[in-house]
Amino acid sequence: MSAHPRNEQSWSGSELARYEAALEAIHGAMGAYSALIAHEEAKDAPDEQVIEKASAGRRACVRRRESLDPANATDIARVRAEFSALAETVRASRR
């Protein structure tokens, strides 16, 4: 579930689409962190440092999502690229 800008009527369809895509990228990174945590916890001897680092990463995603400004097109583009890459990096760390 995504959080929409408070006054959606003031945003164009393309602005809203870019905002939603940035949110999806953040959620993808959150999901990757959650999967990493679950993967580590399922081990016979989980590494608590891996779990804590992934938990901290997930919390950082939440904070970034909350601070995302739909009116800032530059930030929206940067967040989409950054968090898409982050999700891939986190997924790759499980392999």
Side-chain angles (χ1 to χ4, degrees), residues 30 33 51-64:
M30 290 171 67
Y33 279 126
I51 293 168
E52 181 50 41
K53 186 175 177 183
S55 295
R58 193 171 52 188
R59 288 189 300 272
C61 290
V62 170
R63 286 190 302 274
R64 189 62 181 101

Side-chain angles (χ1 to χ4, degrees), residues 4 11 13 16-17 31-33 39 53-54 56 58 62 65 67 70-72 76-77 79 81 89:
H4 293 282
W11 308 109
L16 187 56
Y33 279 126
H39 177 76
K53 186 175 177 183
R58 193 171 52 188
V62 170
R65 180 185 64 198
S67 71
N72 186 335
I76 292 291
V79 163
T89 299

Side-chain angles (χ1 to χ4, degrees), residues 3 13 15 17 19 27 33 44 49 65 75 78 81-82 92:
E15 288 171 323
Y19 176 74
H27 292 159
Y33 279 126
D44 290 336
Q49 288 182 331
R65 180 185 64 198
D75 191 41
R78 183 176 37 251
E82 178 184 330

Side-chain angles (χ1 to χ4, degrees), residues 2 5 9-12 18 24 33-34 38 40 44-45 51 55 61 63 68-69 78 80 82-84 86 90 95:
S2 62
Q9 295 86 4
S10 66
W11 308 109
S12 72
R18 285 190 294 272
E24 286 178 23
Y33 279 126
S34 293
E40 194 62 35
D44 290 336
I51 293 168
S55 295
C61 290
R63 286 190 302 274
L68 192 59
D69 179 4
R78 183 176 37 251
R80 184 176 181 192
E82 178 184 330
F83 281 84
S84 293
L86 176 60
V90 173
R95 297 180 187 138

